[in-house]
Amino acid sequence: MLEQIDDPAKVDEYFRKRYEMNFESFKRILKTIIELGLADNDYLETLIRDFKVWKLAREKMRKI
């Protein structure tokens, strides 16, 4: 699934709009959620999955 990102720029744009922030801000917030022990939240799995996809898209954008 993650390896099949055809247009990483569209993925980046999608997550920027969805979370209304850039990748670095999202990364800091996710880290804070985990550090504060809020990792039991059911929504955390979705955030981590989105983080992985977004990170992979950004890495692919850098290679282009």
Side-chain angles (χ1 to χ4, degrees), residues 3-54:
E3 292 79 20
Q4 297 176 345
I5 296 175
D6 294 329
D7 190 346
K10 285 186 180 180
V11 173
D12 185 57
E13 180 182 343
Y14 168 78
F15 285 121
R16 283 177 181 268
K17 287 180 181 179
R18 179 175 180 172
Y19 292 109
E20 297 181 358
M21 65 183 78
N22 63 28
F23 177 77
E24 293 303 321
S25 296
F26 182 79
K27 183 177 171 180
R28 280 193 309 274
I29 290 171
L30 184 58
K31 182 179 177 185
T32 301
I33 288 171
I34 293 169
E35 287 174 351
L36 291 175
L38 302 174
D40 294 336
N41 186 334
D42 293 336
Y43 190 59
L44 184 66
E45 289 180 30
T46 301
L47 294 176
I48 291 172
R49 185 193 69 234
D50 287 353
F51 173 79
K52 289 177 180 179
V53 173
W54 199 354

